[in-house]
Amino acid sequence: MLLRGVLLALQALQLAGALDLPAGSCAFEESTCSFDSVLAFLPWILNEEGHYIYVDTSFGKQGEKAVLLSSDLQAEEWSCLRLVYQITTSSESLSDPSQLNLYMRFEDESFDRLLWSAKEPSDSWLIASLDLQNSSKKFKILIEGVLGQGNTASIALFEIKMTTGYCIECDFEENHLCGFVNRWNPNVNWFVGGGSIRNVHSILPQDHTFKSELGHYMYVDSVYVKHFQEVAQLISPLTTAPMAGCLSFYYQIQQGNDNVFSLYTRDVAGLYEEIWKADRPGNAAWNLAEVEFNAPYPMEVIFEVAFNGPKGGYVALDDISFSPVHCQNQTELLFSAVDASCNFEQDLCNFYQDKEGPGWTRVKVKPNMYRAGDHTTGLGYYLLANTKFTSQPGYIGRLYGPSLPGNLQYCLRFHYAIYGFLKMSDTLAVYIFEENHVVQEKIWSVLESPRGVWMQAEITFKKPMPTKVVFMSLCKSFWDCGLVALDDITIQLGSCSSSEKLPPPPGECTFEQDECTFTQEKRNRSSWHRRRGETPTSYTGPKGDHTTGVGYYMYIEASHMVYGQKARLLSRPLRGVSGKHCLTFFYHMYGGGTGLLSVYLKKEEDSEESLLWRRRGEQSISWLRALIEYSCERQHRIIFEAIRGVSIRSDIAIDDVKFQAGPCGEMEDTTQQSSGHSEDLNEIEY
C-alpha cells in the first residue's frame, strides 16, 4: 500500500543511527517501544520487516484516525523532538490528503496541545523538528494520523527521537543532518564534507567536531559556479518555541577568494533579515562566530554563501549550537512584553501622561447606552479621553508607552471605542516617537469604525532607534468633540501576522474561523448561531464581538424561538484530571426580555448534569467576563445552555471561551462568578 514503502524504508534505515534511543524515542525495528495505539481508534501497524509503522486505507476509511500515545515523559531541560515520516496519496485525491498531527498531553490539562501538523504528500521520508520547552510537568506525546481520500492513502512513521538540546543545533554527524536542508541550485549547493567524501578541486578541511577525517561538516564550493552572484543556502528547521540567546557556529573560508558568507533569519511570511556577515579577510582555520539570536515566533536560520565568480573558493560550516545566555560583550535587551503592556485594572502600568495635563483619565463606569464597560472584564477600568468636558478646542492628549529598544520588530495591539464624534479621522492616532519626543511617524489612525464598540487594532513596526509608542487623542473644535476609550494594550516581539501561522491555542475558541470543537445538541432555527455585527432585533444583543469588534460570536436569536425554548452548545469531551480547572468566557445579556444563561458539567456515562454557573435576565449592555473554577477527574463535557426569555428582546451571546489548567487564581471576581448559583450582578460605582 505504501508507495515504494519497503525500498524507502531500507533507504531511510540509515537515518535511525544508534538504536539505543532515549525516552520518548523509537526506531520501530521490532516493536513500538513505549508507544501504544489507542484502542478507540485504528491501530498503527508495524511493518513485517520492521523499520516503520503505518496506517492506510486497507484498514480504515477516509476520515478515520489512528492514535499513538507515549508513556509518561519529562523534559526538565530544553529538548528536541524529531519525527521521520511519510504521507502518500494517489494523484486524484490531492484535494483531500491524509494528515499527521502531533500533540503534547500534560498531566494536569484536560485538552491536548497541538504542536505540529502536516498533510503534504511525499515520495520520500521527511523530517519534522519540534522544540520542547523545559518544564517540570510530566506529559505524553500523542501522534494522530487522519486518513484522507483515495484507495492508496497512507501515513508512515519511521522514527521518533527526543534528545536534550535545541533543534537548531547540529554537528552534522548524523545522516539526517538535524533537519537542515539545502535549497537546491543547479550550479552551487551545500554538501556534506569529511569522512570518505573528498573533493579533488578543493583542499577541504578536517571537521571541527572530531578534528579528523572521520568527522563531518557542511561545505559549499565555487568550482561549478557559472554566473556572478550564485547563491547557496543551508536552511535550519523552523523554530517552534520562543527562544532568545546566543547562536554560535564554526566556519572556515578559503583565504583570498571573492565570496560573501552571511546569516539570515526568515519568518513564516518569508521576511528575511540579515543578522551576521563574515568579516574580511578570512582565516584558514576554524573561526568561532557568536550571533545574538531572537526568535519570539517561528523562524528559520539560513546560512548563505554568495559567489562573485568561479574562483570563490569554499566555505565550510560545523558545530552549530545555541545558548539561552546572551553572547559575550552583548548586553541584555531591555524589553519585556509584560512591562510594555497594560489593561489599566490597577494603574497606568508603565504608561504616563503628557506633562501639560491629563488628557486621559482612568475610569470605571456602570455600562449604559452611552458608555460601555471596559474591554478586559466588562466591569473594570479603562482610559477615557473625555475631550468634550475636560479640554479646549485644539487640545491634544498624549499617552506615552515605555521605552522600546531599537532594531527590533514589534506587534502592538490595543482596543479602542469612539463615541460622539461627527468625523472620526484623527480622533485617535498612534505615533512613534524618538526618546527625545520628536515625532517620527504616524503609524495608525482611526478612519471609520462603529461607534460605541470595542475595536481591536494591531500594528507591526520596527525602527533602528529606541522609540516610544504614543496614543494621541485630538479635539479639533468644540462642536465636534466626543469620547475616546482605550484598553488592553499589548506590545510583543515579532510580526502581528506571524501569530496567524501558529496552531490555535489549546482549549481556546474565539469563533473567528468556525465553532472550533463545539457541537450543537440539535441544529435548527432555535440553536446557537455564529454571527458578526449586530443582531437583527434592536435593543438586544451585542453590536459586535468581544475579540476584535468586527469578528464572530455565538448567540441565540430570540425571534426564532418561543418563550422557554433551549439552545445547547456542547464542548468536545474533556479529559478528566486531578486538580482544578478554570473556564473563562465572555457573555452578553442585554434586552428587556432576556432569559437564562447556564453552564453545566456533564460527566461521562452520567445522565445528570451539574450546574456550574447561571445568570438570569438583563445583565449589561457590555460584554462581561465569567470565571468558573471546577474540578472533575472523569471525562466530561461543558454545556452552554441559553433559554429564551419572555420577549424577542432576549438575544444571548457568548465569545472567547478558554479552558485553563489550574485554579482561576488572582483573576478578579473569582468567588462571585464561580459559585455557580449567584444570579445578581454586583453594582459598579461610577
Side-chain angles (χ1 to χ4, degrees):
M1 182 58 70
L2 289 170
L3 297 178
R4 291 188 273 168
V6 176
L7 175 61
L8 289 171
L10 292 174
Q11 291 173 342
L13 180 57
Q14 299 173 1
L15 300 178
L19 297 181
D20 185 17
L21 296 172
S25 307
C26 192
F28 303 113
E29 287 300 312
E30 298 176 352
S31 69
T32 58
C33 311
S34 61
F35 289 82
D36 294 311
S37 291
V38 177
L39 296 177
F41 303 95
L42 295 175
W44 287 91
I45 308 299
L46 184 66
N47 182 46
E48 292 181 358
E49 299 180 16
H51 312 324
Y52 65 89
I53 60 173
Y54 68 97
V55 60
D56 61 29
T57 45
S58 64
F59 297 98
K61 301 176 182 178
Q62 179 184 353
E64 288 194 284
K65 300 177 181 179
V67 178
L68 196 67
L69 190 63
S70 75
S71 58
D72 283 335
L73 302 171
Q74 204 159 7
E76 293 188 339
E77 296 182 72
W78 192 289
S79 300
C80 178
L81 182 70
R82 296 199 199 279
L83 191 70
V84 185
Y85 70 97
Q86 183 187 8
I87 299 173
T88 61
T89 188
S90 54
S91 58
E92 65 271 12
S93 60
L94 292 176
S95 60
D96 190 11
S98 300
Q99 186 164 331
L100 186 60
N101 303 316
L102 188 145
Y103 299 85
M104 285 185 76
R105 174 177 290 182
F106 285 99
E107 60 180 352
D108 63 342
E109 293 181 346
S110 58
F111 43 80
D112 300 325
R113 296 178 175 267
L114 178 63
L115 290 188
W116 170 86
S117 181
K119 56 184 178 182
E120 296 79 17
S122 170
D123 60 0
S124 61
W125 295 95
L126 301 177
I127 299 174
S129 301
L130 304 164
D131 283 295
L132 307 181
Q133 292 177 286
N134 47 310
S135 171
S136 59
K137 296 199 297 185
K138 289 183 179 179
F139 64 91
K140 296 178 187 286
I141 295 296
L142 188 148
I143 300 172
E144 175 187 75
V146 184
L147 289 173
Q149 185 181 6
N151 295 326
T152 57
S154 64
I155 305 167
L157 297 177
F158 176 73
E159 183 185 75
I160 302 169
K161 190 172 184 180
M162 192 173 87
T163 54
T164 300
Y166 296 81
C167 291
I168 206 170
E169 298 179 313
C170 197
D171 59 11
F172 303 108
E173 298 304 329
E174 296 187 72
N175 286 351
H176 57 54
L177 305 180
C178 317
F180 278 77
V181 294
N182 169 70
R183 182 183 180 187
W184 189 80
N185 182 318
N187 301 315
V188 59
N189 290 279
W190 286 91
F191 296 100
V192 178
S196 60
I197 300 174
R198 310 299 293 172
N199 190 305
V200 296
H201 300 286
S202 300
I203 304 173
L204 293 171
Q206 294 182 338
D207 93 306
H208 179 268
T209 313
F210 298 118
K211 298 178 175 59
S212 73
E213 293 184 0
L214 297 176
H216 298 85
Y217 53 90
M218 299 300 292
Y219 77 96
V220 57
D221 199 318
S222 65
V223 66
Y224 298 113
V225 169
K226 296 180 180 179
H227 309 285
F228 291 119
Q229 287 301 317
E230 290 279 14
V231 172
Q233 289 187 336
L234 184 67
I235 304 171
S236 77
L238 191 72
T239 62
T240 58
M243 51 194 287
C246 190
L247 180 69
S248 62
F249 54 91
Y250 286 87
Y251 70 98
Q252 192 171 131
I253 299 179
Q254 192 173 357
Q255 286 183 300
N257 292 291
D258 193 10
N259 56 51
V260 179
F261 181 29
S262 306
L263 183 61
Y264 294 87
T265 60
R266 182 174 65 185
D267 64 16
V268 290
L271 180 66
Y272 282 79
E273 181 179 357
E274 183 181 286
I275 59 174
W276 177 86
K277 182 181 291 185
D279 296 329
R280 291 291 164 189
N283 188 332
W286 285 105
N287 300 276
L288 172 64
E290 293 185 320
V291 184
E292 200 67 23
F293 177 63
N294 184 44
Y297 51 90
M299 62 174 59
E300 299 163 326
V301 170
I302 299 177
F303 294 87
E304 180 182 281
V305 178
F307 292 104
N308 293 322
K311 296 182 180 180
Y314 71 81
V315 175
L317 171 69
D318 203 1
D319 293 342
I320 302 168
S321 62
F322 177 81
S323 169
V325 179
H326 291 276
C327 299
Q328 293 182 0
N329 302 323
Q330 290 283 336
T331 57
E332 185 176 354
L333 298 174
L334 299 176
F335 173 78
S336 164
V338 174
D339 294 340
S341 305
C342 195
N343 62 12
F344 305 107
E345 292 305 308
Q346 305 298 325
D347 49 35
L348 294 183
C349 309
N350 292 311
F351 288 77
Y352 62 93
Q353 297 270 16
D354 191 286
K355 294 180 180 178
E356 297 176 4
W360 295 91
T361 306
R362 182 171 163 267
V363 299
K364 181 178 184 179
V365 302
K366 182 177 181 179
N368 54 55
M369 289 289 292
Y370 308 102
R371 212 182 297 182
D374 81 316
H375 180 265
T376 314
T377 67
L379 304 175
Y381 288 88
Y382 61 96
L383 296 188
L384 193 65
N386 193 343
T387 54
K388 192 169 185 178
F389 301 108
T390 63
S391 62
Q392 300 298 318
Y395 171 79
I396 298 176
R398 296 184 179 91
L399 179 74
Y400 293 89
S403 179
L404 304 174
N407 207 32
L408 292 174
Q409 190 175 54
Y410 297 99
C411 173
L412 167 65
R413 290 188 177 94
F414 59 93
H415 284 83
Y416 68 94
I418 308 291
Y419 304 84
F421 285 93
L422 298 175
K423 296 180 181 179
M424 283 200 179
S425 61
D426 283 337
T427 56
L428 177 63
V430 179
Y431 286 82
I432 292 293
F433 276 41
E434 284 186 2
E435 287 285 24
N436 60 3
H437 291 186
V438 175
V439 177
Q440 290 297 299
E441 181 183 358
K442 180 167 72 174
I443 59 174
W444 180 90
S445 67
V446 173
L447 296 176
E448 194 64 40
S449 69
R451 286 166 171 77
V453 177
W454 281 112
M455 304 288 291
Q456 185 192 61
E458 56 179 31
I459 310 155
T460 299
F461 66 93
K462 180 179 180 180
K463 292 295 176 185
M465 77 291 288
T467 57
K468 292 184 178 182
V469 171
V470 181
F471 294 87
M472 188 176 298
S473 65
L474 174 64
C475 173
K476 294 180 180 178
S477 69
F478 177 80
W479 304 108
D480 190 17
C481 277
L483 305 175
V484 179
L486 186 63
D487 203 4
D488 293 344
I489 302 171
T490 63
I491 302 179
Q492 297 175 308
L493 288 174
S495 167
C496 295
S497 62
S498 297
S499 60
E500 299 172 3
K501 310 290 184 178
L502 296 172
E508 291 187 29
C509 188
T510 62
F511 304 109
E512 294 305 297
Q513 303 299 323
D514 50 36
E515 295 177 11
C516 307
T517 56
F518 287 92
T519 56
Q520 301 274 0
E521 191 169 72
K522 57 182 178 179
R523 283 192 180 274
N524 53 36
R525 287 167 59 87
S526 65
S527 61
W528 287 90
H529 304 279
R530 183 170 162 265
R531 184 180 178 86
R532 68 192 305 179
E534 293 185 87
T535 59
T537 310
S538 59
Y539 300 104
T540 187
K543 294 182 179 180
D545 78 315
H546 178 265
T547 316
T548 65
V550 293
Y552 289 86
Y553 55 89
M554 297 295 291
Y555 89 110
I556 62 165
E557 176 52 54
S559 61
H560 294 165
M561 305 168 69
V562 298
Y563 173 58
Q565 196 167 13
K566 298 178 181 179
R568 287 162 64 86
L569 190 67
L570 284 66
S571 76
R572 65 182 176 184
L574 299 169
R575 193 174 60 256
V577 297
S578 60
K580 294 182 178 180
H581 306 282
C582 182
L583 167 63
T584 70
F585 64 94
F586 283 83
Y587 63 98
H588 198 283
M589 300 176 70
Y590 167 62
T594 301
L596 197 67
L597 176 62
S598 305
V599 178
Y600 292 96
L601 181 146
K602 187 179 188 303
K603 296 180 181 178
E604 182 184 29
E605 299 177 354
D606 278 7
S607 57
E608 295 186 1
E609 299 166 358
S610 303
L611 176 65
L612 296 180
W613 179 96
R614 173 170 287 170
R615 290 292 179 270
R616 185 189 303 275
E618 183 178 69
Q619 299 292 304
S620 173
I621 197 171
S622 292
W623 286 100
L624 301 177
R625 185 181 68 184
L627 303 176
I628 304 173
E629 194 172 278
Y630 71 97
S631 301
C632 188
E633 297 189 5
R634 285 164 51 189
Q635 183 169 296
H636 60 282
R637 290 177 184 263
I638 295 295
I639 302 171
F640 291 89
E641 180 187 86
I643 300 179
R644 197 259 207 193
V646 295
S647 77
I648 61 171
R649 293 195 175 97
S650 183
D651 294 349
I652 296 173
I654 62 171
D655 200 5
D656 295 348
V657 180
K658 183 176 182 179
F659 292 91
Q660 294 173 286
C664 293
E666 299 299 321
M667 303 177 78
E668 62 184 42
D669 298 335
T670 302
T671 55
Q672 190 265 330
Q673 304 239 15
S674 66
S675 63
H677 302 288
S678 172
E679 298 177 5
D680 298 321
L681 184 69
N682 286 349
E683 292 292 322
I684 301 301
E685 297 296 326
Y686 285 92

